[in-house]
Amino acid sequence: MPGMKVVLAEDSVLLRQGLVALLTEHPSVTEVVEAGDLGELLDAVERDRPDVVLADIRMPPTHTDEGIRAAERFRTTHPDLGVVVLSQHADAEGALALVAGGSTGRGYLLKERVADVEQLVAALEAVRGGESVIDPHVVDALMRHRMRFEASPVARLTGREREVLGLIASGDSNSAIATRLHITSRAVEKHINSIFTKLDLPVGDRTHRRVAAVLLYLGDSGSTPSTDGVGA
């Protein structure tokens, strides 16, 4: 297989320069194109047509999930493009999001691995060839996530019910949930009643049941609500 052209997307200049130095010295890499944010990454892929992308999971403009969103976009716009996402932590949710549309040509590595250039290049070559590469620590996190999920009553909920419960945990009222999900308030009520039933929450004060449901949700997902209170 000929040498790789790599687009490297990392907003830390120091880390990016270090990675460029490591990769350009490797015989399997012919060129490294730098990008500092999501916009530059998208432009570089369109302009330079790389064989593989190495991207931080979080970068400007929001520092949330830009690497994941880029990988999802490339699945449609550049289906043969391999993508390796770098993360500071073993994030099970991030890894699941990365492979939600399929694991072909996708990799998820911890940043602590990048100092081993042979391991890094091997991962890039693997995703370039359509394989998937998941850091062992991330695999462990995925297994813990799965075991916790399967043992939780939250596992009984449908996808839509989990979505509604997540919005409750964020502090949204029933009307706000209806607006965000483009459903009726009556439908929201039905989902909430079903949630209470599946979570075995006894009939009583409705606000307390909402709080109890949120606590179960947060305990299952390891999440934190985005507001200080729970919408009534």
Side-chain angles (χ1 to χ4, degrees), residues 15-200:
L15 178 57
R16 188 170 73 241
Q17 291 178 344
L19 286 171
V20 169
L22 286 173
L23 291 172
T24 53
E25 292 178 1
H26 197 280
S28 296
V29 178
T30 58
E31 183 180 355
V32 179
V33 179
E34 298 181 49
D37 58 37
L38 178 60
E40 291 181 3
L41 167 58
L42 299 179
D43 290 343
V45 168
E46 291 297 328
R47 181 184 65 245
D48 296 289
R49 300 290 173 172
D51 301 298
V52 65
V53 165
L54 179 62
D56 193 353
I57 191 172
R58 296 180 176 88
M59 67 185 89
T62 69
H63 293 281
T64 54
D65 62 347
E66 280 78 9
I68 300 294
R69 287 193 282 120
E72 291 175 350
R73 173 171 177 157
F74 296 147
R75 198 180 299 281
T76 299
T77 61
H78 300 81
D80 296 326
L81 178 63
V83 180
V84 172
V85 172
L86 295 175
S87 177
Q88 192 72 37
H89 307 288
D91 178 11
E93 294 288 351
L96 288 171
L98 177 67
V99 300
S103 60
T104 300
R106 293 295 178 265
Y108 192 108
L109 294 181
L110 297 183
K111 287 187 176 180
E112 64 188 49
R113 306 286 184 187
V114 300
D116 185 340
V117 67
E118 293 298 334
Q119 185 176 14
L120 178 59
V121 170
L124 294 173
E125 290 178 328
V127 299
R128 180 189 184 187
E131 300 176 32
S132 61
V133 179
I134 305 294
D135 191 285
H137 289 302
V138 178
V139 173
D140 290 342
L142 286 167
M143 292 304 297
R144 290 193 298 271
H145 175 85
R146 179 179 177 181
M147 292 173 65
R148 184 174 68 246
F149 176 77
E150 290 179 345
S152 168
V154 178
R156 305 169 190 165
L157 305 182
T158 66
R160 175 63 93 180
E161 289 166 352
R162 284 177 62 84
E163 192 172 14
V164 169
L165 185 50
L167 291 174
I168 293 173
S170 297
D172 285 7
S173 65
N174 288 10
S175 59
I177 293 171
T179 299
R180 292 183 64 169
L181 298 183
H182 304 290
I183 58 179
T184 65
S185 294
R186 182 177 178 83
V188 173
E189 283 287 337
K190 287 184 177 180
H191 286 309
I192 292 174
N193 288 332
S194 178
I195 289 168
F196 291 160
T197 299
K198 291 181 179 180
L199 296 184
D200 297 323

